[in-house]
Amino acid sequence: MKTPTPPTRSLEALRELTPARVGLGRSGASMPTDALLAFTLDHARARDAVHAAFDVEHLVAGLAGLGLEVSEVSSQAGNRRDYLRRPDLGRMLDPDSRRALEKQGGGANQVVIVIGDGLSPAAVNVHAVELVGHLAPRLTEAGIRCGHVVVASGARVALGDEIGAVLGARMVVMLIGERPGLSAPDSLGAYLTFAPRSGLTDEKRNCVSNIHGAGLSYDEAAFKIAWLVREGIARQVTGVALKDESGTALIAASGAGRCGKSET
């Protein structure tokens, strides 16, 4: 019996399909110099993303240009060193910020969007305003009022829970810089929590991640987030109790669009 010949694919072709480091080759017992230099450069970019300045002024101006009401707050992490060494401080508002938000609270906010620097301020500086620009119209089309956008410095994901609770939001959407990777130092993530309050843990949240130039597009991410917001409010749950079925909805919407075009 003849042994079947396995399919062949060159390592060069494989590298075109993934940013992963595969088939780097060898130079003696080591990596080739070009592969080592590329790794060193990507590592430096990831470190730079963590320590990049959070451009609050740019974000506030961009969000105001979208016609949104914007507030600025800070966590109890007073500087980047404290933020990285004390994650707990990034989950709590500083007293002045909390008092300022309490003066604005009391309304019937359906959704509050929080934009936090997270572990990649560089990602937030580049992507947050563009994503909100795609997301806000989808929420409006769904009849969901976005009462507030809050720009939060020194923020961890859970800071959004306290902000949402103070503002009386039914749901909080936290847009935050994700931990930089060697292939994506500028990835943005979105975390959604129904009935936010301090002390919640991650099983209560839904996450839409990998939002960047080579990952999930702004329009795709906005569709997913808007679907989760709408369904989360309707079902009064998020997290493990809310399965992301936005892909099915997107296929259905695309099919309806094609049918509509064929009829004209």
Side-chain angles (χ1 to χ4, degrees), residues 27 31-38:
S27 179
M31 288 192 300
T33 300
D34 58 349
L36 177 60
L37 291 176

Side-chain angles (χ1 to χ4, degrees), residues 44 50 82-83 85 108 131 139 152 165 170 179 193 233 238 246 256:
V50 172
D82 289 345
Y83 175 82
R85 293 189 175 192
L131 177 57
L139 294 177
R170 297 194 70 196
R179 185 185 303 276
T193 310
I233 290 176
T238 47
S246 59

Side-chain angles (χ1 to χ4, degrees), residues 209-238:
S209 63
N210 205 36
I211 305 167
H212 59 92
L216 204 62
S217 72
Y218 299 136
D219 198 51
E220 290 171 322
F223 185 92
K224 282 180 170 289
I225 295 167
W227 188 93
L228 287 165
V229 169
R230 185 183 71 246
E231 293 300 317
I233 290 176
R235 306 181 197 185
Q236 301 186 32
V237 292
T238 47

Side-chain angles (χ1 to χ4, degrees), residues 57-78:
E57 183 177 348
H58 161 75
L59 293 170
V60 170
L63 294 165
L66 296 174
L68 298 168
E69 180 184 353
V70 188
S71 300
E72 298 175 38
V73 300
S74 299
S75 75
Q76 293 184 20

